[in-house]
Amino acid sequence: MPTNVANVISIFATLAAAYFGCATLISILYEIFAQITGRRARFLRGHLQRLFGRPLASSILSNPLVRKYDKTVSPSHAARLRSRVKGVEPHEIPVAYIEPRDFALALMHEGFNRTPDNNALLKPSDHLPDRVKLLLATLLEGTSGNPSHVQERLEAWFRRDQEQLSAGYGADARLWNLFPGTLIAVLVGLDSLALATQCSPASYACTTA
């Protein structure tokens, strides 16, 4: 194999190794940062607020089934500091993941009322915005308002929604890896342009190496 071709291959191999090594390191640091700042919890909270509006999303996240935290217990100073860093109120706990069953029961409790003519059936709460009531009414289709059917529908819907949300979070994390990883790979001490010039056929250094 000609020397210049071998050198070019060596350059690309070094750049690729540097990129993947830096991307792995950045991925680890990103996850540590996400844990400290509650990024996953912020991601989930923002998603629920876009779907259901801020009041209903806050009610769902504050529901005992979801937060699993005694609101009557006074939080410690460390807990208050963590809450500030993670962007939640001192009495709240950041929720990064919700079980579909817990979400369904919390939403049924916070977003639905019993129908006046039949206390065993559910309908969207009247105090909710029209956009949110339309979403909940769509989720009720085919259930006849039967609580057990509503719960099954909400669980299945939320499970699919969380899969899409996880994919979005992963794509967001990969973007954080792409640009710094590429930049660091270029700046690890390799002057690619100079090396390419050295390995050009017209280069005396390359031909005499």
Side-chain angles (χ1 to χ4, degrees), residues 36 60 103 116 173 193 202:
I36 294 173
I60 293 171
F103 168 82
L193 182 60

Side-chain angles (χ1 to χ4, degrees), residues 20-162:
F20 286 112
C22 292
T24 301
L25 177 60
I26 292 170
S27 177
I28 294 172
L29 294 176
Y30 178 85
E31 283 302 318
I32 294 174
F33 173 79
Q35 288 289 331
I36 294 173
T37 61
R39 183 165 176 78
R40 286 181 181 272
R42 291 172 187 263
F43 207 77
L44 176 59
R45 176 182 288 270
H47 179 67
L48 293 179
Q49 288 176 349
R50 288 190 294 272
L51 285 176
F52 302 111
R54 186 179 296 271
L56 181 55
S58 296
S59 297
I60 293 171
L61 292 170
S62 299
N63 188 282
L65 284 170
V66 173
R67 61 181 163 83
K68 305 181 188 303
Y69 180 77
D70 188 358
K71 193 173 181 178
T72 63
V73 177
S74 178
S76 64
H77 293 293
R80 291 193 185 96
L81 179 60
R82 287 195 299 270
S83 297
R84 292 193 188 96
V85 172
K86 296 185 178 183
V88 298
E89 296 298 323
H91 64 270
E92 295 177 331
I93 183 170
V95 178
Y97 175 77
I98 306 175
E99 290 287 346
R101 175 184 175 276
D102 295 338
F103 168 82
L105 293 175
L107 180 57
M108 289 169 64
H109 181 267
E110 304 293 344
F112 293 94
N113 289 331
R114 303 287 180 176
T115 56
D117 55 337
N118 189 337
N119 196 44
L121 300 180
L122 298 175
K123 69 180 186 67
S125 298
D126 296 330
H127 69 276
L128 296 174
D130 292 339
R131 178 185 65 83
V132 179
K133 284 195 289 187
L134 179 60
L135 172 60
L136 297 182
T138 302
L139 293 174
L140 281 178
E141 289 181 357
T143 64
S144 302
N146 184 288
S148 61
H149 295 163
V150 171
Q151 180 180 341
E152 292 176 1
R153 171 68 63 81
L154 292 177
E155 286 183 24
W157 173 81
F158 187 69
R159 190 174 291 108
R160 293 193 301 270
D161 182 71
Q162 287 299 283

